[in-house]
Amino acid sequence: MGHTRTAVRTAAVGTAAAVLATGAAFGLAPAASAQATQGAQGAQGAQGAQGAQASEALDAAATTGVADETAGAADTAGPVATSTTAGVRFADITGDGGTVLKANVVTPAGAGPADRHPLVVLPTSWATPQIEYLAQARALADTGYVVVTYNSRGFWQSGGEIEVAGPPDIADASKVIDWALAHTPADPDRVGMAGVSYGAGISLLAAAHDRRIKAVVALSGWADLIESIYSGRTQHRQAAAFLGGTGQLTGRPSAELRRVLDGFLSSDLSREQEMIDWGRKRSPATHVDRLNANGTAVMLGNAWGDTFFPPNQYASFYEKLTGPKRLELRPGDHATAEATGLLGLPNDAWTSARRWLDHHLRGVDNGVDREQPVRLRSRTSGGYEGYPDWASVGTRERRLALGGEQGIRTGLDSGANGGVILLSNTLDQFLGLPPTVSVPLLPRSYAAVWQSERYPTAQRVRGTARLHTTVTPTAAGGTLVAYLYDVGPLGVGKLVSHAPYTFHGRAPGEPFTVDLELFSTAYDVPAGHRLALVVDAADPLYTEHNPAGARLTFSSPPSDPSYLSVPLRAE
């Protein structure tokens, strides 16, 4: 039932490449990687060679010379290192339970002990070194912020174990704020957090539990961890294996994480509720009432093709927020929309992030509060579109009738699939090359296919397509994957969206209704093209639960017709 070993081996290869690429991208000294485990195990010890290596990494990224700085005041929250660059110093901060967190502190040039500047805290992304945010931290400091970036517990040279945004991670964030208020010219009334991916999730959760956090920017993060990696009751196998593999290579997974991940990847249904409870505790959506009570100003940013945290769960979370809020969705895959900004290059996501923080922490009247709060960029056309709320994104509906009866065999990928994590949607982002398939050549014994007529005008798909159909299985459990394609004159289909669905405990031979939301998107189907719905039973992205020899039959009863509802932008 679980392709665990194959998935982990596959992920490990990609993981190694990703880690090496990360180190190269941010100028990480090779020795720093070699000492990651040693540094974490000796986190309570002397700084020694670690500080020197961190300084070398900082020197590579900094644009000015090295200056000597010291903390000045006695450190009651943890020791402070003296290895620094101009405006940047390396620090040890004592987190929850005495765990030492490795941090960079960036202050505005010329800031004195009597000054008070807004504070931004940046927890690192999953498996990423603490210099991840150095370019953005310096840009923030240049406009008057005190910035503290720290390695999340369990990774690289920070101590502790990987808790996946659990209670210790939330407590760490508050400890970092405490330290910054005691040892930097930070203003206690102007505190914000921001981050990418793992840092985004930690920032949202911390803001729900710490009223001092007035503003959050959460880029490529999650609001609902279960809906992210277990949507449609289906394991997102490649994503989970990749995260598990990178966590193992760059950190120290906790016993709880290892147990949950093992049950998840092995499809152990007896432990499903444990996994769900574990994920809910770590989901900002569970704590949305706290965020609303705190009045936190929340900006969310994500990519349409995020294969770790699909945009649906962010959009749903956004609708539940009642304080100042903003939602931005762009082409790309997980964290690719923000990547160039981490290298110090011009970047829309980081420009918006700084505007959000400037308004809510510095009081800058930059108009961000008067703009439409939902901003989308289509995968196929330039420019942003503004909407007053998520419900206004796709106000028109076009239905594709799924008439007749079609049966498919399971156990084989038909050729229709969602691509490869981090690769396929990045190619779509930069080259306009989404996963494609020849719809006429799809084997009908393994793929059910329905097509629309050719559209005389462009169809501007916006939002969340929904599948409603009746399925009759030959086994009690199984998996299906639905794909929406833009089909050109030659029959080549470009993937618009997709989503998996898994069922258990059904009576063989008895029909049941399936209602499935495909992943939200923005895509313009050209005039003269068709839309096609393809359903098969296997995709490399997901764990398949179909027993050998099983079949799935799709029908459209007269009393409950099957259809695909496609949301379109109002013209």
Side-chain angles (χ1 to χ4, degrees):
M1 284 205 352
H3 305 266
T4 312
R5 294 180 181 175
T6 301
V8 171
R9 283 196 301 266
T10 302
V13 175
T15 291
V19 172
L20 291 172
T22 299
F26 295 106
L28 184 66
S33 295
Q35 287 199 339
T37 303
Q38 176 186 350
Q41 291 173 343
Q44 299 288 352
Q47 183 105 351
Q50 291 176 0
Q53 289 158 359
S55 294
E56 291 172 10
L58 293 173
D59 290 344
T63 57
T64 56
V66 176
D68 291 329
E69 293 182 9
T70 58
D75 186 356
T76 59
V80 178
T82 59
S83 188
T84 63
T85 63
V88 181
R89 55 189 171 98
F90 188 73
D92 285 354
I93 299 177
T94 303
D96 184 56
T99 296
V100 172
L101 307 172
K102 299 295 183 176
N104 296 324
V105 183
V106 190
T107 53
D115 296 333
R116 285 294 173 261
H117 297 271
L119 168 68
V120 176
V121 174
L122 299 159
T124 55
S125 302
W126 185 271
T128 308
Q130 69 201 54
I131 56 172
E132 172 189 12
Y133 300 115
L134 187 59
Q136 289 302 322
R138 293 182 69 88
L140 286 164
D142 286 345
T143 55
Y145 291 92
V146 171
V147 185
V148 178
T149 78
Y150 69 94
N151 242 33
S152 302
R153 69 166 48 223
F155 286 107
W156 294 88
Q157 294 178 332
S158 281
E161 296 180 326
I162 303 171
E163 303 288 346
V164 193
D169 292 294
I170 298 170
D172 282 347
S174 291
K175 292 285 189 180
V176 171
I177 293 172
D178 293 342
W179 183 92
L181 295 178
H183 298 97
T184 73
D187 186 342
D189 295 323
R190 295 185 291 166
V191 176
M193 287 192 69
V196 175
S197 184
Y198 194 47
I202 291 175
S203 294
L204 286 171
L205 287 162
H209 290 82
D210 192 328
R211 295 179 61 89
R212 295 176 297 179
I213 302 170
K214 302 296 192 258
V216 169
V217 175
L219 304 174
S220 289
W222 75 91
D224 188 323
L225 196 56
I226 298 302
E227 280 300 307
S228 294
I229 61 172
Y230 196 54
S231 68
R233 209 178 175 187
T234 308
Q235 292 95 332
H236 293 214
R237 187 179 69 202
Q238 284 189 17
F242 186 92
L243 292 172
T246 52
Q248 189 67 46
L249 282 177
T250 63
R252 298 160 301 285
S254 67
E256 182 182 31
L257 172 57
R258 291 195 298 270
R259 184 177 67 252
V260 169
L261 190 60
D262 177 70
F264 180 82
L265 289 172
S266 64
S267 305
D268 187 347
L269 288 177
S270 70
R271 293 156 66 181
E272 182 183 41
Q273 191 58 52
E274 176 191 1
M275 182 269 295
I276 290 173
D277 293 341
W278 176 88
R280 284 176 176 163
K281 183 187 297 185
R282 291 159 170 80
S283 296
T286 303
H287 309 282
V288 66
D289 290 344
R290 285 174 173 262
L291 279 168
N292 290 336
N294 293 345
T296 314
V298 177
M299 174 182 157
L300 307 172
N302 205 359
W304 295 118
D306 194 319
T307 43
F308 292 86
F309 308 127
N312 301 47
Q313 46 93 35
Y314 245 19
S316 176
F317 177 64
Y318 172 84
E319 288 291 87
K320 296 173 184 175
L321 293 169
T322 58
K325 58 184 181 178
R326 187 177 181 90
L327 174 65
E328 299 188 352
L329 295 169
R330 302 174 175 86
D333 204 313
H334 183 65
T336 62
E338 301 87 24
T340 56
L342 294 175
L343 298 175
L345 301 175
N347 180 275
D348 287 357
W350 283 105
T351 297
S352 290
R354 289 195 296 271
R355 293 183 67 225
W356 187 255
L357 295 171
D358 283 348
H359 180 74
H360 292 285
L361 297 182
R362 294 176 59 216
V364 177
D365 184 13
N366 55 19
V368 72
D369 56 323
R370 296 186 294 275
E371 297 170 356
Q372 297 275 42
V374 176
R375 299 181 71 237
L376 315 178
R377 188 154 67 87
S378 169
R379 291 162 48 200
T380 52
S381 58
Y384 285 90
E385 303 167 2
Y387 299 88
D389 50 42
W390 178 250
S392 301
V393 170
T395 55
R396 293 195 301 135
E397 178 194 43
R398 184 174 292 282
R399 285 198 175 187
L400 174 60
L402 310 178
E405 181 176 288
Q406 297 192 44
I408 62 171
R409 298 166 62 185
T410 65
L412 182 69
D413 184 355
S414 69
N417 63 66
V420 179
I421 60 166
L422 296 179
L423 175 61
S424 300
N425 292 317
T426 303
L427 291 175
D428 183 32
Q429 174 186 0
F430 292 108
L431 302 177
L433 298 174
T436 60
V437 71
S438 175
V439 174
L441 297 181
L442 286 170
R444 295 313 197 256
S445 57
Y446 289 96
V449 180
W450 296 267
Q451 293 194 74
S452 72
E453 298 298 323
R454 297 186 190 277
Y455 296 117
T457 59
Q459 306 295 297
R460 305 189 189 283
V461 179
R462 299 289 186 275
T464 309
R466 293 173 172 83
L467 170 65
H468 175 81
T469 190
T470 297
V471 178
T472 304
T474 60
T479 298
L480 61 92
V481 186
Y483 309 89
L484 178 62
Y485 284 102
D486 160 25
V487 184
L490 299 179
V492 175
K494 295 182 177 181
L495 187 63
V496 177
S497 184
H498 78 287
Y501 180 91
T502 293
F503 59 91
H504 299 286
R506 294 290 177 177
E510 291 293 323
F512 65 94
T513 300
V514 169
D515 286 290
L516 174 63
E517 287 191 351
L518 277 60
F519 300 138
S520 304
T521 194
Y523 184 99
D524 299 334
V525 179
H529 285 212
R530 308 172 187 264
L531 283 173
L533 176 73
V534 177
V535 182
D536 70 6
D539 189 303
L541 287 172
Y542 310 109
T543 298
E544 176 197 347
H545 294 264
N546 298 296
R551 293 180 60 87
L552 301 173
T553 299
F554 304 93
S555 59
S556 182
S559 60
D560 187 18
S562 296
Y563 62 87
L564 179 73
S565 172
V566 180
L568 302 177
R569 190 182 80 180
E571 298 296 341

